Amino acid sequence: MTNSLSPRAQEMAARFKELYGSSPEIIVRAPGRVNLIGEHTDYNDGFVFPAAIDRDVMIAASPRKDRQVRVFALNFNQSSTFTLDGVQPATDTRERWSNYLRSMAWVFHEEGLGTAGMNVALLGDVPLGAGLSSSAAMLVASGLSFEASSELNIDPVRMALLAQRAEREFVGVNVGIMDMYISALGQKDHALLIDTRALTYEAVPLPKSGISIVIADTNKKRGLVDSEYNTRRAECERAVELLKASLPDITALRDVSAEQFNALSGSLPEITAKRARHVITEDARTLESVAALKAGNIVRFGELMNGSHESLQRDYEVSCRELDTLVQIARSIDGVYGARMTGAGFGGCTVSVVAEGAVERFLAEVPALYRKATGLNSPIYVTTAAQGAERLA
Ligand code: ADP
Ligand code: MG
């Protein structure tokens, strides 16, 4: 089996054998993601346009005869053990990372899917807490390992829904569907235009040459993110409730056109109107950006990315000084088509679409300029769109 595996999967198999004494029967991987455009729309039934990135969480596992799950996190040199009967969150804070695996065991049980005990080793190279969704990679990889060990056959959209329920109800973060959906369904060399209401997608090829997707990390830890995220969700729901007075058929901001909103926004409280305007214009920008990409118009795609950032900064107010600074610096580099914050905001990463010939300049100049402005380092990842989650062995 091991010969056809990638070097990383072979290393994974070897590390598993060191830990548990025999080769793993199962190896799976699930990637992180970068969202090109369509931010804070996935919990408003709207459109998003992410790609899976070439960084992932890999899990090696073998079924056990009992109901125990033993898991070793190679990144942290830390182990954790739990039983499948009445799965609980980790009590020791040093084992909090195991909650993603635990949450998938929990949700499989909740939804009547069988689970088997396992020995597990996991290793990831998605940067943690940087807004590239290492958490979704953990959830989806965990789900795939339970699917394999229990000989189930789970549709990837259902896997994404299971992962979303796990993060919401067990981990306790009220997330949308985008991160787990793209991790489960991503396609090599494509970004997916996902309709988060219908849970369908269109795979859109990214140009084979000429541009690169460049991620830059602000290195600002995302402190406020959970509470502000919940506030934004509540403000969007409030906007829908108020707009229903004139538009009784709407159930989400997705249903409100720009024309309808412009006619009605004056009747909303100022903050509510700003939040709704972001979501409604972002849906329109996302659809237009995909049309521009399909037409080969990268310049327009970049303009719409820039527009997305401005809207997140001014109307949705989820940016921060570090994100704004890094976006401005990226745009100052000759050959950058567009740059925006990506992910929930308040820190995390920016994404830029960069002419291939300008990538070296970006790498040489952006970190130095950012350090000068903020005193912070900025790790940069030049990425390509990767395949979504898969079983490798
Ligand atoms: P993000 O999804 O933006 O990376 P989150 O805070 O949602 O940030 O998820 C990060 C958490 O996911 C980490 O704190 C850790 O608990 C878990 N995690 C991610 N990757 C790994 C890994 N390779 N090994 C163990 N835990 C991981
Ligand atoms: Mg996350």
Side-chain angles (χ1 to χ4, degrees):
M1 131 184 133
T2 43
N3 285 342
S4 58
L5 290 175
S6 69
R8 246 184 96 222
Q10 287 191 39
E11 194 208 325
M12 205 58 213
R15 302 285 291 270
F16 182 93
K17 196 169 175 185
E18 279 168 27
L19 286 165
Y20 298 108
S22 59
S23 294
E25 290 173 35
I26 296 161
I27 302 179
V28 298
R29 59 167 283 278
R33 63 97 187 91
V34 62
N35 191 21
L36 299 178
I37 192 164
E39 212 67 75
H40 286 281
T41 49
D42 69 338
Y43 50 88
N44 290 293
D45 278 3
F47 298 95
V48 294
F49 192 51
I53 58 173
D54 50 7
R55 289 173 171 261
D56 57 30
V57 169
M58 205 173 266
I59 288 184
S62 285
R64 291 172 59 98
K65 293 201 174 61
D66 61 14
R67 303 278 295 151
Q68 291 237 315
V69 177
R70 296 185 173 221
V71 51
F72 194 89
L74 291 160
N75 295 85
F76 303 149
N77 247 320
Q78 185 89 43
S79 66
S80 184
T81 301
F82 62 94
T83 165
L84 290 167
D85 302 306
V87 182
Q88 297 292 325
T91 42
D92 186 334
T93 51
R94 284 171 308 175
E95 294 173 34
R96 287 247 300 260
W97 54 268
S98 71
N99 284 340
Y100 297 95
L101 188 75
R102 289 169 191 248
S103 68
M104 289 308 281
W106 172 84
V107 79
F108 271 52
H109 176 78
E110 284 291 300
E111 304 214 2
L113 300 163
T115 41
M118 293 194 289
N119 290 329
V120 178
L122 66 86
L123 178 64
D125 64 358
V126 186
L128 272 56
L132 301 177
S133 217
S134 68
S135 56
M138 283 282 284
L139 290 163
V140 174
S142 300
L144 254 58
S145 65
F146 282 118
E147 177 190 21
S149 71
S150 312
E151 296 180 354
L152 299 164
N153 189 1
I154 298 173
D155 172 81
V157 174
R158 177 152 194 220
M159 186 63 84
L161 288 166
L162 291 168
Q164 184 192 27
R165 183 169 175 207
E167 188 158 4
R168 276 191 180 166
E169 295 181 32
F170 190 96
V171 181
V173 187
N174 194 11
V175 289
I177 191 68
M178 170 171 71
D179 299 352
M180 32 291 280
Y181 193 104
I182 186 67
S183 183
L185 286 109
Q187 290 186 14
K188 189 172 165 45
D189 301 327
H190 293 72
L192 302 191
L193 174 63
I194 302 168
D195 177 335
T196 66
R197 170 176 280 167
L199 295 177
T200 54
Y201 70 88
E202 178 187 352
V204 182
L206 295 170
K208 280 204 171 46
S209 61
I211 60 158
S212 292
I213 298 167
V214 181
I215 297 165
D217 190 343
T218 61
N219 243 323
K220 163 93 192 306
K221 288 299 156 225
R222 303 164 307 161
L224 285 168
V225 81
D226 287 353
S227 61
E228 291 291 328
Y229 185 85
N230 288 333
T231 318
R232 293 300 178 284
R233 286 188 78 119
E235 285 160 347
C236 291
E237 281 163 25
R238 179 158 161 73
V240 172
E241 282 317 307
L242 294 170
L243 290 168
K244 264 188 176 164
S246 312
L247 305 167
D249 292 338
I250 65 169
T251 57
L253 288 175
R254 147 79 176 271
D255 300 313
V256 183
S257 71
E259 294 70 34
Q260 287 171 326
F261 179 72
N262 289 337
L264 296 168
S265 62
S267 66
L268 299 177
E270 193 190 331
I271 296 287
T272 313
K274 285 170 73 172
R275 305 304 187 238
R277 184 164 61 219
H278 165 70
V279 174
I280 291 162
T281 58
E282 185 77 353
D283 271 338
R285 273 186 296 271
T286 303
L287 294 175
E288 193 192 337
S289 74
V290 171
L293 189 64
K294 286 186 189 163
N297 191 346
I298 304 295
V299 170
R300 183 66 189 143
F301 190 86
E303 286 169 4
L304 290 157
M305 287 177 78
N306 292 343
S308 168
H309 185 83
E310 263 70 82
S311 178
L312 289 157
Q313 180 187 3
R314 299 198 184 122
D315 279 344
Y316 219 59
E317 298 184 273
V318 292
S319 189
C320 62
R321 192 177 69 87
E322 291 79 1
L323 281 167
D324 294 339
T325 303
L326 195 48
V327 160
Q328 285 310 329
I329 290 170
R331 289 180 192 163
S332 76
I333 304 296
D334 200 24
V336 170
Y337 287 101
R340 58 184 287 277
M341 57 161 271
T342 185
F346 301 105
C349 289
T350 64
V351 59
S352 303
V353 170
V354 182
E356 233 162 27
V359 172
E360 254 179 64
R361 193 157 52 235
F362 194 105
L363 289 165
E365 293 181 16
V366 170
L369 290 167
Y370 182 67
R371 196 175 312 113
K372 203 168 154 207
T374 62
L376 294 167
N377 290 326
S378 173
I380 296 188
Y381 312 103
V382 181
T383 192
T384 52
Q387 191 63 27
E390 58 195 336
R391 183 172 178 181
L392 303 172

